[in-house]
Amino acid sequence: MKNKISPQILLIIISLMVTFIVVQLNIFNFFESKPIEEKLDDPHYGHIPIQKAEAQMYLGLHDNSPIPKKSKTKSNKRASNFYKNRAYAGAPPTIPHKVDEVISDGGFENCLQCHRNGSYSIDMKAYAPIAPHPDFKNCRQCHVPKLTEKLFKPTKWKNKFKVVSGRRHLPGSPPVIPHSLQLRENCLSCHFGEAAMQKIKVTHPERTNCRQCHVQTKTTENFKRAKK
Amino acid sequence: MTVMSYIAYPTKLGLEQLCTDLKKINGVDIERSENKEVVIVVTTFESKDEEERIEKELKDLSSLQCLALVYAGNEEKMINEKLNN
Amino acid sequence: MSCDELKSITRRDFMKQVAFASAIAVAHTMIPGVLFANEQKYKTTANMKWQKTPCRFCGVGCGLLVAVENGKAVAVKGDPESPVNKGLCCVKGYHSIQSIYGKDRLKKAQVRKNGKMVEVPIKEALDLVASKMQETIKKHGKDSVSMYGSGQWTIPDGYCASKFIKGCIGTNNLEANARLCMASAVTGFLTSFGMDEPMGCYEDIDYADVFVLWGNNMAEMHPVLFSRMLDRKQKNKKVKIIDLTTRTTRTSYAADKSFIFKGQTDLAVANAICYEILKTGKQNDTFIRKHCSLKKGKTNIGFGLEENFKFKDKASDISMEEYKEFLKDYTPEKVEKISGVKASEIRYLAGLYTNPNLKVTSFWCMGMNQHTRGTWINNLVYNIHLLVGKIASPGNSPFSLTGQPSACGTVREVGTLTHKLPKGVVMNKKHREFAENIWKLPAGSIDPKPSLHTVEMFKALDRGEVKFMWIQVTNPMVTMPNLKRYRDAAKKDDRFIVVSDIYPTPTTDIADVILPSAMWIEREGMYGNSERRTQHFNQLLTPPEDAMSDTWQIIEVARRMGFTKQFPWKEEEHIEKIWKEYSLFHAGNKHGVAPYEVLKDNPGMRWPYVNGKETRWRYNSKYDPACDPTKEFDFYGKPDHKAVIWQRPFEQMPEPQDKDYPFLLCTGRVIEHWHTGSMTRRIPALHQAVPEAYVEINPIDAKKLKVTNGDKIKITSRRGSMVMKADINGRGKPQLGEIFVPFFDENYLINDVTLDAYCPISKQPDYKKCAVKIEKV
């Protein structure tokens, strides 16, 4: 009968199906013992450093995605960008890319689409820095783009500051926080991740209670008992 | 990566000149003494080429009288030692 | 960038440091007198000798390694061998050694002559202390002298104090500041279980699925344990942290849920959870039948405010039916009205406790202990765990956290409280004879009647019944509630106050004799932390000039008063000998302590230490050799081997808000500062992080008062007032109508404002609630 499929075609169909299944199983790691998320929770799982693990989770398992595991902007370029975008230490950085005028469009928060979690931008070839204060929604109130390098009139002002490590009071002790925490309370937003400046990347991002060991410096004076 | 430190003495040209010259060399950090004519030199290099370059630049300095080697540390060696201890 | 690259950058910096340091060192030998400007910068930790010690500060009891170089402590790192903190510390621990080097360190003894403090040789000061003590006893009787010690006393300090005051002098006027921090926890344990201290250990953190924090800010107060909890949460996404609190703190931000309740209503909330457990029938009937008895005590028990207030509880048995009837007043809906915690939230909490698949650990500290019904609320949280049988097993743990580094080790285990002995109580003849025997004292030396608890002792100082007080390692002129009365009392004529301390404080300011003390690693000793771990530390440094360990000060005075037989030891071996003698008190598998050699070689050992092994979970026959092996659980602290489920009601605080004083004042700490700041304020990193105390106020209240950050506010209670700067939206956010003040700053003696009401059972004052009014200044 015509409905019967010839053995050769059946063989091809079966082998295609098998190949398809094998490919799918490989992609979804069925041959491995646990799904990747569980493995990462397992304290004994490999020695994959946190960033790599995060990137893997982010990438899914497709290695031909255009999103690189490491930022394509070299670390010294990231550092020079850092300084270039800020007038002084703690200044709100200028926006180094083209922006829409509309901040929020029916609840859709444009800036935070990339800056909430530090997504990768293909045209910037960089990971977006994570906003340490995403609860402030009126971004363009403080962050403005740089539309020209030209000045109106010359100025004496120089963007001259250096990021320095907080002082270590004893050899090996945890450095103090050398900057104000106003609008910068989320440590990991700047001290960890692919957009972070190399110099300040932290060696132990998994310890989330940062202020247990690192404290601010509200004064440089020492304690003196009050005179009676 | 290898790190080496020396105590360096200047020629008649003086400590000031020596420090200025040393600061120009890539891979060299210095710490000058406050009260004596002597300066500590620390060199950092990754490869043999870099090591040779630094050596040549130091040799060419007319302000450098001599270098006394104090310390040499190799990163791989350090790691191996720590692992074996 | 990968971790490896990052590590090699810091390795490069480190290696450069080592290179510079070596060259500088060689230059020093080759060129005498050579100086380099940035020498300090290049000091590395590569060649220092590291020795172990427990941390000087909180009750977590982290293991530290201190580097000593040329007789100075120069660096600290966490001891990776310590199972407590596994190599991590907090900011106080990391900088603790700087507390040794403050410029105004007390190095010489001082005596008040003609109103002024004059430096004297320490022998003269000790002579004076002994002679004054003898004179006072002769004139006014043995109960006119007293000693007030501390949960920061090392174990040998407390042991010698107990032997000296209770044994040799024969008065029970021996108290410690742990009365102000842990007494309710102790009476909670004793009434519920018959024996003190937690049945679990810190390993519970590694097994629990749910952490319920009852009114304590663990992120700042037990930071390393908090980090262990966060770590557990990171590795197990289903782990939950529930923050039950009166004010939003750093802990709240890290918790999964934060439920705000009105102060004092924790009693109602706990009862509501018990109601819900029994209503849904999810209690563990077998466990209750086999291992629990039900009792009730007196109600309307007062607050200790009257002069010569006395209270003795009376227990009577009740049935489960009576208990269920009692709990009908605590339905979640009724409790929602008084506490502010929604009924659904209460049910949620009850659900966590009853869920058979979840292991629950409850943590608490000062919120529950510094409470006018502190004993009751401790009982109630034990009730919850007992009703569902989630106790004394890994992860199922009602864990009472201790505040001070050795409140457990010294005050509770040695028993430096008016009614206690190292084993047992003064009221018990057998216990007295046991102590008199070990102490080689004639029978009848120990007084069988407990005398004065802390608040009462200071009241007696005021009234004149106590004329001599020796204060060691604590700062009551900052920490006594209703402070003005007790400060005036100490300043009265015919009161002789001896203070042993390391820095000038408001307490040394009113002293008649100041004895300079050695800091913890300037002498050998032991501390005991919250999880029953005793930790030994060697003497790592020499104390400056005449400074002398508190232990040796007591021994010197005791010898001068003729008690050479009780204090015969040579200085080189006295700590070892004291430990051996003290161990005799606790021998046995219910409380045995580890031998001296074992403590020296290890990062501490938990008691009971039986046949070379620590008991990690007590009362559980799988882990505790003192249990009856035929039973699964054996609460051997009680004569019937059963834990007690206590019927305790909600009773309102003695001074609630009213129309004249519409605000509630709460006091507490911040992570950077320890207690009254006498040590931490002299640590530059800590002082510079929090240089001044402040008052936290809710932003809406601040707006009403027209006050912004830094503006001055006057806080007034019926007892006193204080002007402080406002802190709005800082690390802690109080509720409407409530304020919070940290007590570390001697320039803002907030205890002039607080109330000395206490739990009548434990006698521990309530620093968390009193009525105040505030106004802009």
Side-chain angles (χ1 to χ4, degrees):
Chain A
M1 277 189 342
K2 277 287 171 151
N3 284 338
K4 246 198 196 161
I5 310 171
S6 72
Q8 293 97 318
I9 295 181
L10 194 57
L11 194 61
I12 292 171
I13 289 173
I14 288 172
S15 59
L16 276 175
M17 278 174 68
V18 169
T19 317
F20 178 76
I21 290 169
V22 167
V23 165
Q24 290 300 317
L25 288 176
N26 261 312
I27 289 178
F28 295 112
N29 267 324
F30 265 70
F31 291 129
E32 305 196 42
S33 46
K34 295 185 240 183
I36 195 106
E37 283 80 3
E38 246 193 66
K39 266 196 192 167
L40 296 166
D41 288 343
D42 179 349
H44 300 297
Y45 177 57
H47 298 290
I48 295 183
I50 302 266
Q51 291 97 317
K52 194 169 172 187
E54 281 233 344
Q56 278 194 326
M57 281 206 291
Y58 186 78
L59 297 174
L61 301 156
H62 304 286
D63 238 3
N64 48 356
S65 101
I67 299 169
K69 292 179 182 148
K70 292 194 333 179
S71 173
K72 285 223 162 137
T73 312
K74 286 215 180 299
S75 78
N76 49 4
K77 186 81 173 37
R78 281 205 296 265
S80 76
N81 286 345
F82 179 90
Y83 289 114
K84 199 168 67 155
N85 294 339
R86 289 161 173 77
Y88 51 83
T94 51
I95 305 172
H97 59 74
K98 191 162 170 302
V99 272
D100 290 337
E101 278 308 314
V102 179
I103 299 159
S104 167
D105 188 1
F108 186 85
E109 298 161 330
N110 282 342
C111 309
L112 289 175
Q113 286 309 300
C114 290
H115 287 284
R116 185 185 293 281
N117 289 325
S119 324
Y120 182 75
S121 157
I122 296 173
D123 22 302
M124 299 286 299
K125 288 202 179 53
Y127 279 86
I130 298 176
H133 43 259
D135 40 315
F136 287 82
K137 306 290 187 207
N138 194 11
C139 317
R140 301 286 297 270
Q141 171 182 320
C142 302
H143 298 285
V144 295
K146 204 171 196 175
L147 296 175
T148 167
E149 288 290 337
K150 291 215 282 249
L151 291 177
F152 171 59
K153 297 276 189 208
T155 174
K156 283 199 201 148
W157 179 276
K158 280 190 170 54
N159 279 15
K160 222 172 165 46
F161 67 98
K162 264 242 174 254
V163 162
V164 285
S165 172
R167 180 180 169 190
R168 287 182 202 261
H169 283 263
L170 296 168
S173 60
V176 297
I177 303 171
H179 60 76
S180 153
L181 289 181
Q182 194 173 358
L183 296 177
R184 290 186 278 181
E185 293 200 38
N186 181 358
C187 314
L188 289 179
S189 64
C190 299
H191 286 274
F192 170 67
E194 275 311 305
M197 203 165 69
Q198 204 44 58
K199 210 168 162 183
I200 59 171
K201 266 203 200 175
V202 94
T203 56
H204 44 268
E206 71 283 4
R207 289 189 209 148
T208 48
N209 195 14
C210 316
R211 293 175 70 180
Q212 167 181 322
C213 301
H214 301 281
V215 293
Q216 295 182 269
T217 303
K218 296 242 171 105
T219 167
T220 48
E221 304 209 346
N222 282 331
F223 170 68
K224 266 204 180 67
R225 286 200 85 202
K227 293 225 182 331
K228 294 282 159 24
Chain B
M1 178 193 71
T2 310
V3 172
M4 298 173 82
S5 69
Y6 310 81
I7 300 179
Y9 293 82
T11 58
K12 282 198 284 272
L13 290 173
L15 186 62
E16 208 43 66
Q17 181 62 36
L18 177 60
C19 288
T20 319
D21 290 343
L22 285 169
K23 280 197 198 139
K24 291 203 193 110
I25 305 178
N26 215 348
V28 163
D29 296 276
I30 64 167
E31 194 67 53
R32 60 180 291 175
S33 162
E34 282 185 321
N35 61 343
K36 303 272 182 186
E37 293 286 288
V38 78
V39 57
I40 308 250
V41 172
V42 169
T43 61
T44 316
F45 50 88
E46 307 273 347
S47 63
K48 201 95 176 77
D49 290 350
E50 264 195 66
E51 183 183 8
E52 283 175 0
R53 173 193 56 84
I54 293 178
E55 245 186 67
K56 185 175 183 308
E57 287 192 47
L58 284 171
K59 276 210 181 104
D60 287 347
L61 290 181
S62 47
S63 47
L64 179 63
Q65 169 80 322
C66 72
L67 277 177
L69 175 67
V70 175
Y71 169 89
N74 180 274
E75 194 183 18
E76 270 97 57
K77 255 204 187 146
M78 248 182 88
I79 298 172
N80 286 333
E81 264 175 34
K82 279 225 148 103
L83 288 174
N84 292 334
N85 272 355
Chain C
M1 161 201 267
S2 71
C3 274
D4 284 334
E5 279 178 357
L6 188 62
K7 280 200 188 114
S8 83
I9 282 193
T10 53
R11 224 181 275 139
R12 179 176 305 154
D13 290 349
F14 174 72
M15 287 180 69
K16 270 204 206 160
Q17 272 202 324
V18 172
F20 269 116
S22 321
I24 290 174
V26 169
H28 275 294
T29 59
M30 280 170 51
I31 309 159
V34 70
L35 288 173
F36 294 90
N38 292 325
E39 267 186 63
Q40 227 8 70
K41 194 166 94 182
Y42 297 112
K43 284 217 176 249
T44 68
T45 59
N47 299 314
M48 300 173 190
K49 184 160 186 259
W50 296 95
Q51 295 179 79
K52 74 170 172 78
T53 172
C55 179
R56 176 60 181 79
F57 298 119
C58 82
V60 171
C62 295
L64 266 50
L65 290 171
V66 170
V68 176
E69 204 179 51
N70 298 326
K72 271 192 87 160
V74 293
V76 176
K77 56 185 183 190
D79 184 357
E81 304 274 313
S82 171
V84 172
N85 58 318
K86 308 181 200 200
L88 184 68
C89 304
C90 81
V91 67
K92 293 190 300 298
Y94 278 122
H95 298 93
S96 53
I97 54 173
Q98 291 185 299
S99 65
I100 303 175
Y101 300 110
K103 284 214 169 114
D104 56 345
R105 178 80 194 268
L106 294 170
K107 299 178 183 159
K108 289 216 160 299
Q110 295 171 45
V111 166
R112 195 175 290 276
K113 294 185 178 170
N114 298 323
K116 288 192 82 174
M117 295 306 279
V118 170
E119 278 185 3
V120 299
I122 191 158
K123 288 214 182 314
E124 187 185 314
L126 293 166
D127 288 338
L128 178 58
V129 172
S131 67
K132 196 72 192 176
M133 220 172 169
Q134 276 166 323
E135 184 193 312
T136 315
I137 295 172
K138 199 154 169 234
K139 255 206 240 167
H140 305 282
K142 61 180 176 62
D143 287 323
S144 64
V145 300
S146 63
M147 188 159 196
Y148 183 60
S150 171
Q152 297 162 65
W153 250 342
T154 62
I155 295 176
D157 294 338
Y159 182 75
C160 289
S162 182
K163 195 177 190 183
F164 175 47
I165 301 285
K166 288 186 179 245
C168 303
I169 297 184
T171 172
N172 285 323
N173 290 351
L174 173 63
E175 275 280 305
N177 67 3
R179 173 75 69 179
L180 309 177
C181 83
M182 296 309 291
S184 297
V186 176
T187 49
F189 277 115
L190 295 177
T191 46
S192 292
F193 304 103
M195 275 186 85
D196 192 7
E197 298 208 24
M199 59 283 306
C201 59
Y202 293 159
E203 289 180 58
D204 286 316
I205 298 176
D206 304 327
Y207 294 95
D209 301 306
V210 178
F211 296 98
V212 183
L213 309 183
W214 288 77
N216 58 328
N217 181 3
M218 264 177 103
E220 294 195 67
M221 306 312 162
H222 292 88
V224 168
L225 291 181
F226 190 68
S227 279
R228 278 179 69 168
M229 271 167 45
L230 291 180
D231 188 62
R232 165 119 180 112
K233 211 174 119 79
Q234 263 189 325
K235 295 176 175 155
N236 295 276
K237 299 272 187 270
K238 65 171 184 161
V239 167
K240 293 215 188 322
I241 300 175
I242 316 286
D243 170 49
L244 257 181
T245 181
T246 55
R247 100 185 206 277
T248 307
T249 63
R250 282 188 189 171
T251 305
S252 318
Y253 296 121
D256 289 277
K257 288 194 196 295
S258 184
F259 299 140
I260 312 265
F261 66 92
K262 196 106 178 84
Q264 196 85 0
T265 62
D266 43 5
L267 294 159
V269 172
N271 270 324
I273 295 174
C274 291
Y275 168 87
E276 195 59 26
I277 294 173
L278 291 169
K279 174 110 191 311
T280 53
K282 299 243 171 92
Q283 73 276 15
N284 187 332
D285 284 313
T286 325
F287 183 90
I288 299 171
R289 186 177 29 90
K290 282 193 184 163
H291 304 295
C292 303
S293 61
L294 285 88
K295 292 194 201 291
K296 72 174 179 191
K298 291 188 186 165
T299 59
N300 272 321
I301 58 176
F303 305 97
L305 290 167
E306 300 80 13
E307 206 62 23
N308 291 312
F309 173 91
K310 284 210 185 339
F311 173 78
K312 199 170 155 64
D313 200 10
K314 193 162 130 79
S316 51
D317 293 319
I318 55 168
S319 66
M320 182 54 92
E321 284 63 47
E322 287 172 81
Y323 184 51
K324 284 184 180 168
E325 191 60 36
F326 160 84
L327 283 175
K328 287 206 177 127
D329 283 333
Y330 297 95
T331 67
E333 282 73 21
K334 287 189 185 146
V335 169
E336 176 176 340
K337 294 205 177 73
I338 48 168
S339 67
V341 184
K342 296 208 193 69
S344 57
E345 292 168 351
I346 296 175
R347 293 206 166 87
Y348 172 77
L349 279 168
L352 293 172
Y353 280 104
T354 54
N355 186 330
N357 298 318
L358 294 176
K359 299 201 173 71
V360 186
T361 293
S362 302
F363 279 125
W364 67 90
C365 202
M366 293 303 126
M368 272 174 52
N369 295 339
Q370 288 177 338
H371 192 308
T372 45
R373 294 288 178 265
T375 311
W376 288 6
I377 182 62
N378 271 270
N379 290 146
L380 290 179
V381 177
Y382 292 130
N383 284 1
I384 298 174
H385 282 263
L386 288 169
L387 284 174
V388 292
K390 290 190 179 172
I391 192 167
S393 50
N396 279 324
S397 184
F399 200 109
S400 162
L401 290 166
T402 303
Q404 296 189 78
S406 204
C408 281
T410 310
V411 181
R412 291 155 79 176
E413 290 160 32
V414 174
T416 57
L417 294 168
T418 183
H419 63 293
K420 281 267 307 160
L421 286 168
K423 185 183 167 90
V425 290
V426 297
M427 302 84 85
N428 182 310
K429 184 157 194 271
K430 275 219 193 75
H431 297 161
R432 289 197 305 275
E433 286 172 352
F434 186 69
E436 282 157 359
N437 195 7
I438 297 179
W439 288 343
K440 299 193 178 45
L441 289 165
S445 299
I446 300 174
D447 191 322
K449 239 177 120 238
S451 54
L452 302 163
H453 57 86
T454 299
V455 172
E456 203 48 43
M457 198 160 81
F458 279 89
K459 283 183 179 169
L461 186 72
D462 188 22
R463 293 190 299 258
E465 289 138 35
V466 165
K467 297 221 189 296
F468 175 101
M469 191 183 281
W470 189 357
I471 301 171
Q472 288 198 325
V473 205
T474 181
N475 199 353
M477 293 300 122
V478 175
T479 55
M480 286 302 291
N482 189 11
L483 179 57
K484 185 168 186 305
R485 174 182 179 175
Y486 306 111
R487 181 174 54 237
D488 292 342
K491 288 200 230 173
K492 283 184 177 169
D493 288 336
D494 200 27
R495 311 287 190 270
F496 198 82
I497 314 283
V498 180
V499 178
S500 303
D501 211 320
I502 51 170
Y503 286 111
T505 63
T507 306
T508 61
D509 286 344
I510 53 95
D512 294 285
V513 177
I514 298 177
L515 296 171
S517 292
M519 280 213 79
W520 90 112
I521 43 177
E522 289 174 343
R523 36 76 55 85
E524 185 186 356
M526 299 89 171
Y527 273 163
N529 76 352
S530 301
E531 63 157 355
R532 302 175 272 109
R533 181 182 294 269
T534 315
Q535 302 190 63
H536 172 273
F537 50 97
N538 277 320
Q539 178 177 0
L540 307 180
L541 307 163
T542 321
E545 291 182 53
D546 288 350
M548 184 188 275
S549 79
D550 297 296
T551 314
W552 202 255
Q553 289 176 17
I554 297 174
I555 293 175
E556 288 276 335
V557 169
R559 285 179 181 173
R560 281 163 169 75
M561 290 175 68
F563 302 108
T564 45
K565 192 161 134 210
Q566 283 68 32
F567 299 94
W569 318 291
K570 290 205 268 280
E571 201 165 353
E572 314 82 71
E573 46 169 32
H574 72 289
I575 300 292
E576 183 179 353
K577 288 264 150 68
I578 287 172
W579 183 259
K580 287 195 155 74
E581 188 180 297
Y582 170 59
S583 309
L584 299 171
F585 280 94
H586 290 312
N589 53 12
K590 292 186 186 162
H591 204 309
V593 293
Y596 179 76
E597 298 72 28
V598 171
L599 289 179
K600 265 187 98 129
D601 286 338
N602 286 287
M605 278 297 163
R606 286 166 285 196
W607 64 264
Y609 185 84
V610 181
N611 293 327
K613 280 177 74 184
E614 306 170 295
T615 302
R616 295 138 75 208
W617 287 278
R618 298 157 76 201
Y619 310 138
N620 180 333
S621 47
K622 204 162 136 200
Y623 302 95
D624 185 350
C627 286
D628 174 353
T630 63
K631 299 193 186 141
E632 194 187 348
F633 294 97
D634 179 8
F635 295 100
Y636 47 75
K638 289 280 183 186
D640 62 355
H641 291 245
K642 288 187 176 182
V644 181
I645 294 175
W646 283 94
Q647 177 180 298
R648 305 287 200 197
F650 162 72
E651 282 182 8
Q652 184 56 283
M653 60 184 98
E655 200 183 68
Q657 295 148 294
D658 57 29
K659 66 170 170 51
D660 295 319
Y661 295 94
F663 271 76
L664 215 52
L665 166 69
C666 180
T667 62
R669 283 208 298 116
V670 291
I671 186 174
E672 291 87 348
H673 285 294
W674 175 254
H675 284 203
T676 62
S678 56
M679 290 180 283
T680 53
R681 297 186 82 195
R682 288 162 172 95
I683 295 175
L686 300 176
H687 169 74
Q688 290 173 3
V690 189
E692 198 180 2
Y694 49 81
V695 50
E696 283 178 7
I697 178 173
N698 186 290
I700 297 174
D701 286 326
K703 191 172 175 193
K704 274 195 220 147
L705 219 56
K706 299 202 186 13
V707 148
T708 60
N709 251 321
D711 282 351
K712 295 209 178 119
I713 293 183
K714 183 173 182 193
I715 308 164
T716 314
S717 75
R718 293 171 170 93
R719 293 158 290 285
S721 67
M722 189 62 53
V723 174
M724 303 188 76
K725 296 189 186 149
D727 178 77
I728 307 168
N729 282 326
R731 69 179 76 190
K733 302 188 206 327
Q735 290 294 292
L736 280 174
E738 299 184 13
I739 57 175
F740 176 87
V741 173
F743 70 98
F744 68 87
D745 192 338
E746 63 183 43
N747 297 321
Y748 296 98
L749 293 171
I750 193 59
N751 278 316
D752 272 343
V753 178
T754 56
L755 176 64
D756 52 352
Y758 53 76
C759 167
I761 304 177
S762 69
K763 331 286 192 238
Q764 178 171 357
D766 189 331
Y767 290 91
K768 303 296 180 186
K769 315 158 198 98
C770 69
V772 296
K773 62 180 177 196
I774 61 175
E775 52 198 311
K776 182 171 179 178
V777 167

